[in-house]
Coordinates of all heavy atoms in Angstrom, one line a residue:
M1 N 100.3 110.1 100.3 CA 101.1 109.7 99.1 C 102.5 109.5 99.6 O 103.1 110.4 100.2 CB 101.0 110.8 98.1 CG 101.7 110.4 96.8 SD 101.6 111.7 95.5 CE 99.8 111.7 95.2
P2 N 103.1 108.3 99.4 CA 104.5 108.0 99.8 C 105.5 108.9 99.2 O 105.4 109.3 98.0 CB 104.7 106.6 99.4 CG 103.3 106.0 99.2 CD 102.5 107.1 98.8
A3 N 106.5 109.3 100.0 CA 107.6 110.1 99.5 C 108.8 109.3 99.3 O 109.1 108.3 100.0 CB 107.9 111.2 100.6
Y4 N 109.6 109.7 98.3 CA 110.9 109.0 98.0 C 112.0 110.0 97.9 O 111.9 111.1 97.4 CB 110.7 108.3 96.6 CG 109.7 107.2 96.7 CD1 108.4 107.4 96.5 CD2 110.1 105.9 97.1 CE1 107.5 106.4 96.7 CE2 109.2 104.9 97.2 CZ 107.9 105.1 97.0 OH 107.0 104.1 97.2
E5 N 113.2 109.6 98.5 CA 114.4 110.3 98.3 C 115.1 109.8 97.1 O 115.0 108.6 96.8 CB 115.2 110.2 99.6 CG 114.5 110.8 100.8 CD 115.3 110.6 102.1 OE1 116.4 110.1 102.1 OE2 114.7 110.9 103.1
I6 N 115.9 110.6 96.5 CA 116.6 110.2 95.3 C 118.1 110.2 95.6 O 118.7 111.1 96.1 CB 116.4 111.2 94.1 CG1 114.9 111.5 94.0 CG2 117.0 110.7 92.8 CD1 114.0 110.3 93.7
Y7 N 118.7 109.1 95.2 CA 120.2 108.9 95.4 C 120.7 108.5 94.0 O 120.0 108.0 93.1 CB 120.4 107.7 96.4 CG 120.3 108.1 97.8 CD1 119.0 108.2 98.4 CD2 121.4 108.3 98.6 CE1 118.8 108.6 99.7 CE2 121.2 108.6 100.0 CZ 119.9 108.8 100.5 OH 119.8 109.1 101.8
F8 N 122.1 108.7 93.9 CA 122.7 108.2 92.6 C 124.0 107.5 93.0 O 124.6 107.8 94.0 CB 122.9 109.4 91.7 CG 124.0 110.3 92.1 CD1 125.3 110.2 91.5 CD2 123.8 111.3 92.9 CE1 126.3 111.1 91.9 CE2 124.8 112.2 93.3 CZ 126.0 112.1 92.8
L9 N 124.4 106.6 92.1 CA 125.6 105.8 92.3 C 126.6 106.6 91.5 O 126.5 106.9 90.3 CB 125.5 104.4 91.7 CG 126.7 103.6 91.7 CD1 127.2 103.4 93.2 CD2 126.5 102.2 91.1
C10 N 127.7 107.1 92.1 CA 128.7 108.0 91.6 C 129.8 107.2 90.9 O 130.3 106.3 91.4 CB 129.3 108.8 92.7 SG 130.5 110.0 92.2
N11 N 130.0 107.6 89.6 CA 131.1 107.0 88.8 C 132.5 107.4 89.4 O 133.4 106.6 89.3 CB 131.0 107.4 87.4 CG 129.9 106.8 86.7 OD1 129.5 105.7 87.0 ND2 129.4 107.4 85.7
D12 N 132.6 108.6 90.0 CA 133.9 109.0 90.5 C 134.4 108.3 91.7 O 135.5 107.8 91.7 CB 133.8 110.5 90.8 CG 133.8 111.4 89.6 OD1 134.1 110.9 88.5 OD2 133.6 112.6 89.7
C13 N 133.5 108.1 92.7 CA 134.0 107.5 94.0 C 133.3 106.2 94.2 O 133.6 105.6 95.2 CB 133.7 108.5 95.1 SG 132.0 108.6 95.6
Q14 N 132.4 105.8 93.4 CA 131.6 104.5 93.5 C 130.7 104.5 94.8 O 130.3 103.4 95.2 CB 132.6 103.3 93.6 CG 133.4 103.1 92.3 CD 132.6 103.1 91.0 OE1 131.7 102.4 90.9 NE2 133.0 104.0 90.1
G15 N 130.5 105.7 95.4 CA 129.6 105.8 96.5 C 128.2 106.2 96.0 O 128.0 106.6 94.9
E16 N 127.2 106.1 97.0 CA 125.9 106.6 96.7 C 125.7 107.9 97.4 O 126.1 108.0 98.6 CB 124.8 105.6 97.2 CG 124.8 104.3 96.3 CD 123.7 103.4 96.7 OE1 122.9 103.7 97.7 OE2 123.6 102.3 96.2
H17 N 125.1 108.9 96.7 CA 124.9 110.2 97.3 C 123.5 110.6 97.1 O 122.9 110.3 96.1 CB 125.8 111.2 96.6 CG 127.3 110.9 96.5 ND1 128.0 110.7 97.7 CD2 128.1 110.8 95.5 CE1 129.3 110.5 97.3 NE2 129.3 110.5 96.0
P18 N 122.9 111.3 98.1 CA 121.6 111.9 97.9 C 121.7 113.1 97.0 O 122.7 113.8 96.9 CB 121.2 112.3 99.3 CG 122.5 112.6 100.0 CD 123.5 111.7 99.4
I19 N 120.6 113.4 96.3 CA 120.6 114.6 95.5 C 119.7 115.7 96.1 O 119.5 116.7 95.5 CB 120.3 114.4 94.0 CG1 118.9 113.8 93.8 CG2 121.3 113.5 93.3 CD1 118.4 113.8 92.4
H20 N 119.2 115.4 97.3 CA 118.4 116.3 98.0 C 117.1 116.8 97.3 O 116.8 118.0 97.3 CB 119.2 117.5 98.5 CG 120.4 117.0 99.3 ND1 120.3 116.4 100.6 CD2 121.7 117.0 99.0 CE1 121.5 116.1 101.0 NE2 122.4 116.4 100.1
I21 N 116.6 115.9 96.6 CA 115.3 116.1 95.9 C 114.4 114.9 96.3 O 114.8 113.8 96.3 CB 115.4 116.1 94.4 CG1 116.2 117.3 93.9 CG2 114.1 116.1 93.7 CD1 116.4 117.4 92.4
G22 N 113.2 115.2 96.7 CA 112.2 114.2 97.0 C 111.1 114.3 96.1 O 110.7 115.3 95.5
I23 N 110.4 113.1 95.8 CA 109.3 113.1 95.0 C 108.2 112.2 95.7 O 108.5 111.4 96.6 CB 109.5 112.5 93.6 CG1 110.1 111.1 93.6 CG2 110.5 113.4 92.8 CD1 110.2 110.4 92.3
H24 N 107.0 112.4 95.3 CA 105.8 111.7 95.8 C 105.3 110.8 94.7 O 105.0 111.3 93.6 CB 104.8 112.6 96.4 CG 105.2 113.4 97.5 ND1 105.2 112.9 98.8 CD2 105.8 114.6 97.6 CE1 105.7 113.8 99.6 NE2 106.0 114.9 98.9
L25 N 105.0 109.5 95.0 CA 104.5 108.6 94.0 C 103.4 107.8 94.6 O 103.6 107.2 95.7 CB 105.6 107.7 93.5 CG 106.8 108.3 92.7 CD1 107.8 107.3 92.5 CD2 106.3 108.9 91.4
D26 N 102.3 107.6 93.9 CA 101.2 106.8 94.4 C 101.6 105.3 94.4 O 101.3 104.6 95.3 CB 100.0 106.9 93.6 CG 99.2 108.2 93.9 OD1 99.2 108.6 95.1 OD2 98.6 108.8 93.0
N27 N 102.3 104.9 93.4 CA 102.6 103.5 93.2 C 104.1 103.3 93.1 O 104.6 102.6 92.2 CB 101.9 102.9 91.9 CG 100.4 103.0 92.1 OD1 99.9 102.5 93.1 ND2 99.7 103.5 91.1
G28 N 104.8 103.8 94.0 CA 106.3 103.7 94.0 C 106.7 102.4 94.6 O 105.9 101.6 95.1
P29 N 108.0 102.1 94.5 CA 108.5 100.8 95.1 C 108.5 100.8 96.6 O 108.5 101.8 97.3 CB 110.0 100.8 94.6 CG 110.3 102.2 94.4 CD 109.1 102.9 94.0
G30 N 108.4 99.6 97.2 CA 108.4 99.4 98.6 C 109.8 99.3 99.2 O 110.0 99.3 100.4
R31 N 110.8 99.3 98.4 CA 112.2 99.2 98.8 C 113.0 100.1 97.9 O 112.5 100.5 96.8 CB 112.7 97.8 98.8 CG 112.6 97.2 97.4 CD 113.1 95.8 97.3 NE 113.0 95.2 96.0 CZ 113.7 95.5 94.9 NH1 114.6 96.4 95.0 NH2 113.4 94.9 93.8
K32 N 114.3 100.2 98.2 CA 115.2 100.9 97.3 C 115.3 100.2 96.0 O 115.4 99.0 95.9 CB 116.6 101.0 97.9 CG 117.7 101.6 97.1 CD 119.0 101.5 97.8 CE 120.1 101.5 96.9 NZ 121.4 101.4 97.6
E33 N 115.1 101.0 94.9 CA 115.1 100.4 93.6 C 115.6 101.5 92.6 O 115.3 102.6 92.6 CB 113.6 100.1 93.2 CG 113.4 99.2 92.1 CD 112.0 98.7 92.0 OE1 111.7 97.7 92.7 OE2 111.2 99.2 91.2
N34 N 116.4 101.0 91.6 CA 116.9 101.9 90.6 C 115.8 102.2 89.5 O 114.8 101.4 89.4 CB 118.2 101.5 90.0 CG 118.1 100.3 89.1 OD1 117.2 100.0 88.4 ND2 119.2 99.5 89.2
L35 N 115.9 103.2 88.7 CA 114.9 103.6 87.8 C 114.7 102.5 86.7 O 113.6 102.3 86.2 CB 115.2 104.9 87.1 CG 115.1 106.2 87.9 CD1 115.3 107.4 87.1 CD2 113.9 106.2 88.8
A36 N 115.8 101.8 86.3 CA 115.7 100.7 85.3 C 114.7 99.6 85.8 O 113.9 99.1 85.1 CB 117.0 100.2 85.0
E37 N 114.9 99.2 87.1 CA 114.0 98.2 87.7 C 112.6 98.7 87.8 O 111.6 98.0 87.5 CB 114.5 97.8 89.1 CG 115.8 97.1 89.1 CD 116.4 97.0 90.5 OE1 116.0 97.8 91.4 OE2 117.1 96.0 90.8
F38 N 112.5 100.0 88.3 CA 111.2 100.6 88.5 C 110.3 100.7 87.2 O 109.1 100.5 87.3 CB 111.3 101.9 89.2 CG 110.0 102.7 89.4 CD1 109.1 102.2 90.4 CD2 109.7 103.8 88.7 CE1 107.9 102.8 90.6 CE2 108.5 104.5 89.0 CZ 107.6 104.0 89.9
Q39 N 110.9 101.0 86.1 CA 110.2 101.3 84.9 C 109.8 100.0 84.2 O 108.9 100.1 83.3 CB 110.9 102.2 84.0 CG 112.0 101.5 83.2 CD 112.7 102.5 82.2 OE1 112.9 103.7 82.6 NE2 113.1 102.1 81.1
R40 N 110.3 98.9 84.5 CA 109.9 97.6 83.8 C 108.4 97.4 83.9 O 107.9 97.2 85.0 CB 110.7 96.4 84.4 CG 112.1 96.4 84.0 CD 112.8 95.1 84.3 NE 114.2 95.3 84.2 CZ 115.1 95.2 85.1 NH1 114.7 94.8 86.3 NH2 116.4 95.4 84.9
G41 N 107.8 97.3 82.7 CA 106.4 97.0 82.7 C 105.4 98.1 83.1 O 104.3 97.9 83.3
R42 N 105.9 99.3 83.2 CA 105.0 100.4 83.6 C 105.4 101.7 82.9 O 106.6 101.8 82.5 CB 105.0 100.6 85.1 CG 106.3 101.1 85.7 CD 106.1 101.4 87.1 NE 106.0 100.1 87.8 CZ 106.4 99.8 89.0 NH1 106.8 100.8 89.8 NH2 106.3 98.7 89.5
S43 N 104.5 102.6 82.8 CA 104.9 103.9 82.3 C 105.5 104.8 83.4 O 105.1 104.6 84.5 CB 103.7 104.6 81.7 OG 102.7 104.8 82.7
M44 N 106.4 105.6 83.1 CA 107.1 106.4 84.1 C 106.3 107.6 84.4 O 105.9 108.4 83.5 CB 108.5 106.8 83.5 CG 109.4 105.6 83.4 SD 109.9 104.9 84.9 CE 111.3 105.9 85.3
P45 N 106.1 107.9 85.7 CA 105.5 109.1 86.1 C 106.4 110.3 85.7 O 107.6 110.2 85.7 CB 105.4 109.0 87.7 CG 105.6 107.6 88.0 CD 106.4 107.0 86.8
P46 N 105.8 111.5 85.5 CA 106.6 112.7 85.1 C 107.6 113.1 86.1 O 108.7 113.6 85.7 CB 105.5 113.8 84.8 CG 104.2 113.2 85.3 CD 104.3 111.8 85.5
Q47 N 107.3 112.9 87.4 CA 108.3 113.2 88.4 C 109.6 112.4 88.3 O 110.6 112.9 88.5 CB 107.7 113.0 89.8 CG 106.4 113.6 90.2 CD 105.3 112.6 89.9 OE1 105.1 112.1 88.8 NE2 104.4 112.4 90.9
V48 N 109.4 111.2 87.9 CA 110.6 110.3 87.7 C 111.3 110.7 86.5 O 112.5 110.7 86.4 CB 110.1 108.8 87.7 CG1 111.3 107.9 87.4 CG2 109.5 108.4 89.1
M49 N 110.6 110.9 85.4 CA 111.2 111.3 84.1 C 112.0 112.6 84.2 O 113.0 112.7 83.6 CB 110.2 111.4 83.0 CG 109.6 110.0 82.7 SD 108.3 110.1 81.4 CE 109.1 110.8 80.1
A50 N 111.6 113.5 85.1 CA 112.3 114.7 85.3 C 113.6 114.6 85.9 O 114.5 115.4 85.9 CB 111.4 115.7 86.1
L51 N 113.9 113.4 86.6 CA 115.2 113.2 87.2 C 116.3 113.0 86.2 O 117.4 113.3 86.4 CB 115.1 111.9 88.1 CG 114.2 112.0 89.3 CD1 114.1 110.7 90.0 CD2 114.7 113.1 90.3
R52 N 115.9 112.4 85.0 CA 116.9 112.2 84.0 C 117.5 113.5 83.5 O 116.7 114.4 83.2 CB 116.2 111.4 82.8 CG 115.8 110.0 83.1 CD 115.2 109.4 82.0 NE 114.8 108.1 82.3 CZ 113.7 107.5 81.8 NH1 112.9 108.2 81.0 NH2 113.4 106.3 82.1
G53 N 118.8 113.5 83.4 CA 119.4 114.8 82.9 C 119.7 115.8 84.0 O 120.4 116.8 83.8
H54 N 119.1 115.5 85.2 CA 119.4 116.4 86.4 C 120.9 116.3 86.7 O 121.5 115.3 86.5 CB 118.5 115.9 87.5 CG 118.6 116.8 88.7 ND1 117.9 118.0 88.8 CD2 119.3 116.8 89.9 CE1 118.1 118.6 90.0 NE2 119.0 117.9 90.6
K55 N 121.5 117.4 87.2 CA 122.9 117.4 87.6 C 123.0 117.2 89.1 O 122.2 117.8 89.8 CB 123.5 118.7 87.1 CG 123.7 118.8 85.6 CD 124.4 120.0 85.2 CE 124.5 120.0 83.7 NZ 125.2 121.2 83.2
A56 N 123.9 116.4 89.5 CA 124.2 116.2 90.9 C 125.7 116.3 91.2 O 126.5 116.2 90.2 CB 123.7 114.8 91.3
M57 N 126.1 116.5 92.4 CA 127.5 116.6 92.7 C 128.0 115.5 93.6 O 127.3 115.0 94.5 CB 127.7 117.9 93.5 CG 129.1 118.2 93.7 SD 129.4 119.8 94.5 CE 128.8 119.6 96.1
C58 N 129.2 115.0 93.3 CA 129.8 114.0 94.1 C 130.3 114.6 95.4 O 130.9 115.7 95.4 CB 131.0 113.4 93.4 SG 132.0 112.2 94.4
L59 N 129.9 114.1 96.5 CA 130.2 114.7 97.8 C 131.7 114.5 98.2 O 132.2 115.2 99.1 CB 129.3 114.1 98.9 CG 127.8 114.3 98.7 CD1 127.0 113.6 99.8 CD2 127.5 115.8 98.7
K60 N 132.4 113.6 97.5 CA 133.8 113.4 97.8 C 134.7 114.2 96.9 O 135.7 114.8 97.3 CB 134.1 111.9 97.7 CG 133.5 111.1 98.9 CD 134.0 109.7 98.9 CE 133.4 108.9 100.0 NZ 133.8 107.6 100.1
T61 N 134.4 114.2 95.6 CA 135.3 114.9 94.6 C 134.8 116.3 94.3 O 135.6 117.1 93.8 CB 135.4 114.1 93.3 OG1 134.1 114.1 92.7 CG2 135.8 112.7 93.6
G62 N 133.6 116.6 94.5 CA 133.0 117.9 94.2 C 132.7 118.1 92.7 O 132.3 119.2 92.3
R63 N 132.9 117.0 91.9 CA 132.5 117.1 90.5 C 131.0 117.0 90.3 O 130.3 116.3 91.0 CB 133.2 116.0 89.7 CG 134.7 116.1 89.7 CD 135.2 115.1 88.7 NE 136.7 114.9 89.0 CZ 137.4 113.9 88.6 NH1 136.8 112.9 87.9 NH2 138.6 113.8 88.9
T64 N 130.6 117.7 89.2 CA 129.2 117.6 88.9 C 129.0 116.5 87.9 O 129.8 116.3 86.9 CB 128.7 118.9 88.2 OG1 128.9 120.0 89.2 CG2 127.3 118.9 87.8
I65 N 127.9 115.7 88.1 CA 127.6 114.6 87.2 C 126.2 114.7 86.7 O 125.3 115.1 87.4 CB 127.7 113.3 88.1 CG1 129.2 113.1 88.6 CG2 127.3 112.0 87.3 CD1 129.3 112.1 89.7
K66 N 126.0 114.4 85.4 CA 124.7 114.4 84.8 C 124.1 113.0 85.0 O 124.7 112.0 84.7 CB 124.8 114.8 83.3 CG 123.5 114.9 82.7 CD 123.6 115.4 81.2 CE 122.3 115.5 80.6 NZ 122.4 115.9 79.2
L67 N 122.9 113.0 85.5 CA 122.2 111.8 85.8 C 121.5 111.3 84.5 O 120.4 111.8 84.2 CB 121.2 111.9 86.9 CG 121.7 112.4 88.2 CD1 120.6 112.6 89.2 CD2 122.8 111.5 88.8
D68 N 122.1 110.4 83.8 CA 121.5 109.9 82.5 C 121.4 108.4 82.4 O 121.0 107.9 81.4 CB 122.2 110.5 81.3 CG 123.7 110.3 81.3 OD1 124.2 109.6 82.2 OD2 124.4 110.8 80.4
N69 N 121.8 107.7 83.5 CA 121.8 106.3 83.4 C 120.8 105.8 84.5 O 121.0 105.9 85.7 CB 123.2 105.7 83.8 CG 123.3 104.2 83.7 OD1 122.3 103.5 83.7 ND2 124.5 103.7 83.6
D70 N 119.7 105.2 84.0 CA 118.7 104.7 84.9 C 119.1 103.7 85.9 O 118.5 103.5 87.0 CB 117.5 104.2 84.1 CG 116.7 105.3 83.4 OD1 116.9 106.5 83.7 OD2 115.8 104.9 82.6
D71 N 120.2 103.0 85.6 CA 120.7 102.0 86.6 C 121.4 102.6 87.8 O 121.7 102.0 88.8 CB 121.7 101.0 85.9 CG 121.1 100.1 84.9 OD1 120.0 99.6 85.2 OD2 121.7 99.9 83.8
Q72 N 121.8 103.9 87.6 CA 122.5 104.6 88.7 C 121.6 105.6 89.5 O 122.2 106.3 90.4 CB 123.7 105.4 88.1 CG 124.7 104.4 87.5 CD 125.9 105.2 86.9 OE1 125.8 105.7 85.8 NE2 127.0 105.2 87.6
I73 N 120.4 105.7 89.2 CA 119.5 106.6 89.9 C 118.5 105.8 90.7 O 117.9 104.9 90.2 CB 118.7 107.5 88.9 CG1 119.6 108.3 88.0 CG2 117.8 108.5 89.7 CD1 118.9 109.0 86.9
F74 N 118.4 106.0 92.0 CA 117.7 105.2 92.9 C 116.5 105.9 93.6 O 116.7 107.1 94.0 CB 118.6 104.6 94.0 CG 119.6 103.7 93.5 CD1 120.8 104.1 93.1 CD2 119.3 102.3 93.4 CE1 121.8 103.2 92.6 CE2 120.3 101.4 92.9 CZ 121.5 101.9 92.5
L75 N 115.4 105.3 93.7 CA 114.2 105.8 94.5 C 114.3 105.1 95.8 O 114.4 103.8 95.9 CB 112.9 105.4 93.8 CG 112.7 106.0 92.4 CD1 111.4 105.3 91.8 CD2 112.5 107.5 92.5
V76 N 114.4 105.8 96.9 CA 114.5 105.2 98.2 C 113.3 105.7 99.1 O 113.2 106.9 99.2 CB 115.9 105.7 98.9 CG1 116.0 105.1 100.3 CG2 117.0 105.3 98.0
P77 N 112.5 104.8 99.6 CA 111.4 105.2 100.4 C 111.9 106.1 101.5 O 112.9 105.8 102.2 CB 110.8 103.9 100.9 CG 111.2 102.9 99.9 CD 112.6 103.3 99.4
S78 N 111.2 107.2 101.7 CA 111.5 108.1 102.8 C 111.3 107.5 104.2 O 110.3 106.7 104.3 CB 110.7 109.4 102.7 OG 110.9 110.2 103.8
P79 N 112.2 107.7 105.2 CA 111.9 107.1 106.5 C 110.6 107.5 107.1 O 110.0 106.7 107.8 CB 113.1 107.7 107.3 CG 114.1 108.1 106.4 CD 113.4 108.5 105.1
A80 N 110.0 108.6 106.7 CA 108.7 109.0 107.2 C 107.6 108.1 106.7 O 106.6 107.9 107.3 CB 108.4 110.4 106.7
N81 N 107.8 107.4 105.6 CA 106.9 106.4 105.1 C 106.8 105.2 106.0 O 105.8 104.5 106.0 CB 107.3 105.9 103.7 CG 107.1 106.9 102.6 OD1 106.5 108.0 102.8 ND2 107.7 106.6 101.5
N82 N 107.8 105.0 106.8 CA 107.9 103.7 107.6 C 107.5 104.0 109.1 O 107.7 103.1 109.9 CB 109.3 103.1 107.5 CG 109.6 102.8 106.1 OD1 108.8 102.3 105.3 ND2 110.9 103.0 105.7
L83 N 107.0 105.1 109.4 CA 106.6 105.4 110.8 C 105.4 104.5 111.1 O 104.5 104.3 110.3 CB 106.2 106.9 110.9 CG 107.3 107.9 110.8 CD1 106.7 109.3 110.9 CD2 108.3 107.7 111.9
P84 N 105.4 104.0 112.3 CA 104.2 103.1 112.7 C 103.0 104.0 112.9 O 103.0 105.1 113.3 CB 104.7 102.5 114.1 CG 105.7 103.5 114.6 CD 106.4 104.1 113.4
S85 N 101.8 103.4 112.5 CA 100.6 104.1 112.6 C 100.2 104.0 114.1 O 100.5 103.1 114.8 CB 99.5 103.5 111.7 OG 99.3 102.1 112.1
R86 N 99.4 105.0 114.5 CA 98.9 105.0 115.9 C 97.9 103.9 116.1 O 96.9 103.8 115.3 CB 98.3 106.4 116.2 CG 99.4 107.4 116.2 CD 99.1 108.4 117.4 NE 100.3 109.1 117.6 CZ 100.3 110.4 117.5 NH1 99.2 111.1 117.2 NH2 101.4 111.1 117.7
Q87 N 98.0 103.2 117.2 CA 97.0 102.2 117.5 C 95.9 102.8 118.4 O 94.8 102.2 118.3 CB 97.7 101.1 118.3 CG 98.8 100.4 117.5 CD 98.3 99.8 116.2 OE1 97.2 99.1 116.2 NE2 99.0 99.9 115.1
A88 N 96.1 103.8 119.1 CA 95.1 104.4 120.0 C 95.2 105.9 119.8 O 96.2 106.5 119.5 CB 95.4 104.0 121.4
P89 N 94.0 106.6 120.0 CA 94.0 108.0 119.9 C 94.8 108.7 121.1 O 95.0 108.0 122.1 CB 92.6 108.4 120.0 CG 91.9 107.3 120.7 CD 92.7 106.0 120.3
L90 N 95.3 109.9 120.8 CA 96.0 110.6 121.9 C 95.0 110.9 123.0 O 93.8 111.3 122.8 CB 96.6 111.9 121.4 CG 97.8 111.8 120.5 CD1 98.1 113.2 120.0 CD2 99.0 111.3 121.3
I91 N 95.5 110.8 124.3 CA 94.6 111.1 125.4 C 95.2 112.4 126.0 O 96.4 112.4 126.4 CB 94.6 110.0 126.4 CG1 94.0 108.7 125.8 CG2 93.8 110.4 127.7 CD1 94.1 107.5 126.6
H92 N 94.5 113.5 126.1 CA 95.0 114.7 126.7 C 94.7 114.7 128.1 O 93.7 114.3 128.6 CB 94.3 115.9 126.0 CG 94.5 116.0 124.5 ND1 95.7 116.5 124.0 CD2 93.8 115.7 123.5 CE1 95.7 116.4 122.7 NE2 94.5 116.0 122.3
D93 N 95.7 115.3 128.9 CA 95.5 115.4 130.3 C 94.4 116.4 130.6 O 94.3 117.5 130.0 CB 96.8 115.9 131.0 CG 97.9 114.9 130.9 OD1 97.6 113.7 130.9 OD2 99.1 115.3 130.9
E94 N 93.5 116.0 131.5 CA 92.5 116.9 131.9 C 93.0 117.8 133.0 O 93.7 117.4 133.9 CB 91.3 116.1 132.4 CG 90.6 115.4 131.2 CD 89.4 114.7 131.7 OE1 88.8 115.0 132.7 OE2 89.0 113.7 130.9
E95 N 92.6 119.1 133.0 CA 93.0 120.0 134.1 C 92.1 120.0 135.2 O 90.9 119.8 135.2 CB 93.2 121.4 133.5 CG 94.3 121.4 132.5 CD 94.5 122.7 131.9 OE1 94.2 123.8 132.5 OE2 95.0 122.8 130.7

């Protein structure tokens, strides 16, 4: 099941920050996508709905921000999702 990291667009510094929460989704986006784009035409998984109202901190100002705007919360495919699959089995050295 693909994993996604969660980022938010900060109103204070206009930067994007991770919130250090990951979620797993069967049918998540293949690229970085905000919740507003992701929810178009589909029902929201409970893991995604739980992000709304979560508090996050701006890494530059230290202020706490409540995540309540779906345009500012991003699902980002985890780098582990993009690892190449093995083409050949491992060969162990014989002793």
Side-chain angles (χ1 to χ4, degrees):
M1 184 178 298
Y4 293 86
E5 296 174 7
I6 311 303
Y7 283 74
F8 72 98
L9 179 61
C10 179
N11 289 331
D12 284 350
C13 73
Q14 302 306 310
E16 288 184 3
H17 305 302
I19 63 170
H20 304 291
I21 291 178
I23 61 174
H24 295 274
L25 298 171
D26 284 327
N27 297 312
R31 60 176 176 77
K32 176 179 151 183
E33 195 170 277
N34 69 35
L35 292 189
E37 293 171 334
F38 178 68
Q39 79 179 36
R40 285 192 193 119
R42 67 176 71 154
S43 61
M44 293 292 273
Q47 308 93 306
V48 175
M49 291 177 62
L51 296 172
R52 292 179 181 145
H54 186 81
K55 291 184 180 178
M57 186 175 69
C58 174
L59 300 176
K60 290 187 179 182
T61 66
R63 291 188 199 162
T64 301
I65 298 164
K66 185 175 179 183
L67 303 177
D68 55 5
N69 183 341
D70 288 350
D71 290 320
Q72 293 180 284
I73 304 170
F74 294 89
L75 298 171
V76 180
S78 175
N81 291 346
N82 300 320
L83 293 175
S85 60
R86 292 221 165 118
Q87 300 297 318
L90 287 175
I91 300 173
H92 298 284
D93 291 332
E94 294 183 18
E95 293 181 28

